[in-house]
Amino acid sequence: MESCIFCKIIKKDIPHFSVYEDEYCLAFLDIYPRVKGHTVVIPKIHVETIEGADAQTITTLFSGVQSAVQKVTEVLQPDAYSIGWNNGEEAGQAVPHIHVHILPRWKGDGGGNMHTIINKPGSTSVKELASLFT
Ligand code: AMP
Ligand code: ZN
């Protein structure tokens, strides 16, 4: 997609610091890192969110995430990782080209976990909600 900043990175119109690359995806250092080694992994085709992606794109993207993690481990040896993505504008996605954030974590780094993203469970019970899925 012409105006997409991550498509421009893939086309090498914008420079990046590569962490890992294969036929299907590219992993590079986030330009505004939240922690040392903050890496983003993107598919080489323009897809905005998981809902619009085909199975092969997701499979190869997650395989790329694993390879990028292996590379970051080799270089920085963190103790753990927070891995995830902002899927959709209301969830905080700023760049509309799906990308997985890899955040290296160290013992005592003071960061949060998935549960710190939101804590608004609402008044519908889990049992009530479950009935909607059957
Ligand atoms: P999100 O808020 O999930 O859409 O994340 C977008 C991420 O892309 C942010 O963490 C930005 O710092 C990062 N980013 C934006 N432009 C660039 C760039 N040119 N090179 C590397 N990372 C970028
Ligand atoms: Zn794109």
Side-chain angles (χ1 to χ4, degrees), residues 1 4-8 10 45-47 96-97:
M1 193 215 217
C4 172
I5 191 168
F6 285 173
C7 284
K8 285 179 185 163
I10 292 161
I45 60 163
H46 182 87
V47 177
H97 181 133

Side-chain angles (χ1 to χ4, degrees), residues 39-131:
T39 297
V40 289
V41 191
I42 62 175
K44 286 188 172 173
I45 60 163
H46 182 87
V47 177
E48 196 165 330
T49 59
I50 194 166
E51 296 95 317
D54 60 40
Q56 200 209 18
T57 300
I58 295 304
T59 305
T60 53
L61 177 61
F62 274 80
S63 177
V65 169
Q66 187 182 39
S67 298
V69 164
Q70 281 162 355
K71 188 70 194 176
V72 175
T73 298
E74 242 175 77
V75 176
L76 297 174
Q77 292 99 37
D79 298 316
Y81 290 94
S82 294
I83 299 171
W85 73 102
N86 300 317
N87 194 77
E89 202 179 337
E90 292 75 9
Q93 183 176 4
V95 179
H97 181 133
I98 192 169
H99 50 284
V100 179
H101 292 262
I102 297 173
L103 297 158
R105 300 294 303 270
W106 280 269
K107 194 173 180 194
D109 64 17
N113 63 17
M114 286 298 284
H115 297 87
T116 60
I117 293 174
I118 190 165
N119 187 15
K120 288 191 176 170
S123 55
T124 311
S125 73
V126 174
K127 194 175 175 187
E128 220 178 319
L129 209 56
S131 69

